[in-house]
Amino acid sequence: MKKLLVRLQYVWKLISLLLLTVITYVYAMFQGGFVSWFLFYSFLPFACYSLLLALYPLRSFKVTRTISQEQFRAGEELKASITIRRKFPFPLIYLIAEETLPRRIVHLNGTDSARRILFPWFKRTVTMEYTLSHMPRGEHQFESVRLKTGDFFGLFEKEYSFSLFRDFLVYPSFVAIPYHSPLKRYEQGNTQSNQKFIRDTSMAIGVREYQPGDRVSWIDWKASARRNTMMTKEFEQTRSHDVYLIMDRMKSNVFEEIVVFTASTIRSVLKNGAQAGLVSYGKEQAVFSLHSGEQQLLKIYDHLARVDCDSPASLSDIIEQGWNQYDGKKALKILITGQVNLELVRKLEHRENGHLFKIFLIKDRGSKVTNEEKVILERLNKRGIEADAVFEGRFEEAFTGVRNSL
């Protein structure tokens, strides 16, 4: 039905142009004189141009798109150029080129961010460049480029959309968080620490013969006297801790901040050589088991780029499902949420022995912790569960050991 209306409109405009031409000619014939013929001959070139434009096929154009880079982080700038090529240099007065953007990108950058008015005239090739200054996190598709032109009178306007599908991911932004284990434990994880000092001199597990380079303070004098040779204490080698991050995907006005903090923490943990995993429950459940390395980071970031706040279950319900299925009890569970309540407190208070939790309550920049949240956080800390509020813009302070003021 829509196509039929467009065709009828096109035919009506064509008939209107022919009628105007006939009217000016008839007027010149009957009126005579210089003015009437001057009016006819002045109108005739514009009428001929409009008629030729009506027959000129925009679909014969070749349109290509070039984007500055393959991968983006949220908030980064996208630069793109659209090149339009045509074989026949028909004089076009103007040409409006527009990239059809997804709604989320339009919301951040405005409706005119990827629209330009070009004046090609006889040029065979014209290029349009545009910049999107704020790319939102997520999976986005660029589907088409729309071209529009018209005649002097605005009587004929031609429009055609070129299908140029391109999809890409915008990964979450992250903050460089100085991370260290909040636990003073050994044999907790499976990965050896890659820190410079890997021995704890307070935990001797045996003795061995002295080797060049051993510190004098490591010498076991009693064992040396018994064996009549220099003996050195052998110390416990530290192990990096395993960490599971549990991201709350309930509807929240700080969900983007939750994603940023999750991405920052997982990056910091993996960069420190530890093993990390992620539990993300929403309409689609995703559980990334404990692994280390760059591949683990890329897989989790790929998930965080697409994730949305669509969880039908609360964080306390997820905890109740049990954690033994996620590589045992020894891993530290870091809960990242935008809201805390008494139900969550009760579930954590009745956790199984050996399960270790740490909670971060994510808050907007400039916001304050409510009295109810203060009471809940204090109650958790008294129960031996580290809980703290982390404010947007101060994520790097999360693991400094200094609690944010409540």
Side-chain angles (χ1 to χ4, degrees), residues 103-387:
R103 290 183 179 179
R104 290 184 62 195
I105 296 180
V106 171
H107 177 71
L108 287 178
N109 294 273
T111 56
D112 296 328
S113 54
R115 181 190 299 168
R116 298 289 184 272
I117 299 179
L118 308 173
F119 302 97
W121 290 98
F122 291 95
K123 294 179 182 177
R124 292 177 182 267
T125 303
V126 289
T127 301
M128 158 194 164
E129 295 182 349
Y130 67 90
T131 300
L132 302 175
S133 55
H134 300 287
M135 290 298 295
R137 178 190 61 84
E139 185 176 15
H140 306 291
Q141 294 87 29
F142 284 176
E143 297 182 351
S144 62
V145 174
R146 185 164 58 245
L147 300 182
K148 185 177 181 180
T149 188
D151 59 5
F152 293 94
F153 304 112
L155 185 61
F156 280 97
E157 289 185 346
K158 302 200 69 174
E159 183 177 321
Y160 192 79
S161 291
F162 295 84
S163 180
L164 294 175
F165 185 83
R166 170 74 180 274
D167 63 333
F168 55 91
L169 279 178
V170 177
Y171 293 99
S173 59
F174 59 83
V175 179
I177 296 179
Y179 177 80
H180 60 84
S181 172
L183 302 175
K184 308 295 185 182
R185 290 178 54 132
Y186 293 86
E187 304 262 343
Q188 182 199 348
N190 302 316
T191 308
Q192 290 188 357
S193 172
N194 60 0
Q195 297 175 0
K196 183 176 180 181
F197 301 104
I198 61 173
R199 300 180 186 277
D200 181 24
T201 56
S202 66
M203 298 182 65
I205 60 173
V207 292
R208 59 172 173 78
E209 291 187 4
Y210 177 84
Q211 295 178 359
D214 288 345
R215 298 181 182 180
V216 176
S217 60
W218 295 356
I219 297 175
D220 190 329
W221 297 106
K222 292 181 179 180
S224 299
R226 287 195 303 268
R227 302 189 184 186
N228 201 27
T229 184
M230 295 292 288
M231 302 298 293
T232 303
K233 297 175 183 178
E234 194 168 18
F235 302 105
E236 175 77 4
Q237 181 170 317
T238 62
R239 299 274 179 174
S240 66
H241 57 281
D242 298 336
V243 179
Y244 259 118
L245 278 76
I246 301 96
M247 184 173 63
D248 188 0
R249 288 173 56 182
M250 288 285 289
K251 197 73 174 178
S252 171
N253 59 349
V254 292
F255 182 72
E256 289 301 321
E257 287 74 21
I258 290 174
V259 174
V260 171
F261 186 77
T262 303
S264 303
T265 304
I266 205 81
R267 179 177 181 271
S268 184
V269 171
L270 292 173
K271 293 296 182 183
N272 276 273
Q275 292 193 123
L278 176 69
V279 178
S280 173
Y281 274 27
K283 288 183 178 179
E284 296 181 357
Q285 299 180 2
V287 177
F288 296 87
S289 57
L290 292 171
H291 287 289
S292 59
E294 193 70 22
Q295 288 299 319
Q296 177 77 341
L297 182 64
L298 291 175
K299 286 194 297 184
I300 292 177
Y301 268 36
D302 188 85
H303 171 72
L304 292 178
R306 295 179 169 90
V307 75
D308 198 4
C309 49
D310 54 6
S311 176
S314 66
L315 192 59
S316 56
D317 293 333
I318 295 172
I319 294 172
E320 192 176 22
Q321 294 178 11
W323 293 101
N324 288 328
Q325 55 182 318
Y326 306 132
D327 299 345
K329 297 180 180 180
K330 290 185 177 180
L332 169 68
K333 285 82 175 179
I334 298 180
L335 309 183
I336 303 172
T337 182
Q339 51 191 340
V340 289
N341 50 46
L342 289 176
E343 183 184 2
L344 177 63
V345 174
R346 294 190 186 101
K347 294 291 174 61
L348 293 175
E349 288 176 340
H350 293 87
R351 69 191 187 280
E352 297 179 36
N353 291 331
H355 281 298
L356 307 169
F357 288 93
K358 183 175 179 64
I359 298 178
F360 287 110
L361 174 64
I362 307 301
K363 302 293 289 183
D364 271 331
R365 188 193 303 268
S367 63
K368 294 182 179 181
V369 180
T370 65
N371 292 330
E372 182 183 356
E373 290 170 340
K374 289 180 184 179
V375 171
I376 291 174
L377 294 178
E378 289 295 340
R379 177 171 170 176
L380 287 168
N381 280 285
K382 289 178 181 178
R383 297 294 191 276
I385 302 169
E386 291 189 40

Side-chain angles (χ1 to χ4, degrees), residues 3-136:
K3 290 184 178 180
L4 179 61
L5 290 176
V6 171
R7 289 181 180 178
L8 290 175
Q9 188 178 20
Y10 178 80
V11 172
W12 169 247
K13 288 182 177 181
L14 187 62
I15 293 173
S16 299
L17 179 64
L18 294 175
L19 284 174
L20 286 173
T21 306
V22 170
I23 289 171
T24 54
Y25 176 74
V26 170
Y27 175 74
M29 286 291 293
F30 282 93
Q31 182 68 21
F34 173 79
V35 175
S36 57
W37 283 107
F38 178 79
L39 179 63
F40 171 71
Y41 286 118
S42 298
F43 176 76
L44 191 60
F46 295 100
C48 291
Y49 177 83
S50 298
L51 182 61
L52 292 174
L53 180 65
L55 301 175
Y56 186 60
L58 290 183
R59 66 180 63 193
S60 64
F61 290 13
K62 291 185 177 180
V63 181
T64 57
R65 181 201 299 114
T66 304
I67 296 179
S68 57
Q69 59 195 72
E70 293 295 327
Q71 295 182 348
F72 297 90
R73 279 169 47 196
E76 284 188 338
E77 187 178 77
L78 179 147
K79 293 182 178 179
S81 63
I82 294 174
T83 303
I84 305 164
R85 295 182 176 89
R86 54 188 182 140
K87 295 180 179 179
F88 182 71
F90 182 81
L92 294 177
I93 305 168
Y94 71 90
L95 183 66
I96 299 175
E98 181 181 6
E99 180 82 74
T100 53
L101 300 175
R103 290 183 179 179
R104 290 184 62 195
I105 296 180
V106 171
H107 177 71
L108 287 178
N109 294 273
T111 56
D112 296 328
S113 54
R115 181 190 299 168
R116 298 289 184 272
I117 299 179
L118 308 173
F119 302 97
W121 290 98
F122 291 95
K123 294 179 182 177
R124 292 177 182 267
T125 303
V126 289
T127 301
M128 158 194 164
E129 295 182 349
Y130 67 90
T131 300
L132 302 175
S133 55
H134 300 287
M135 290 298 295

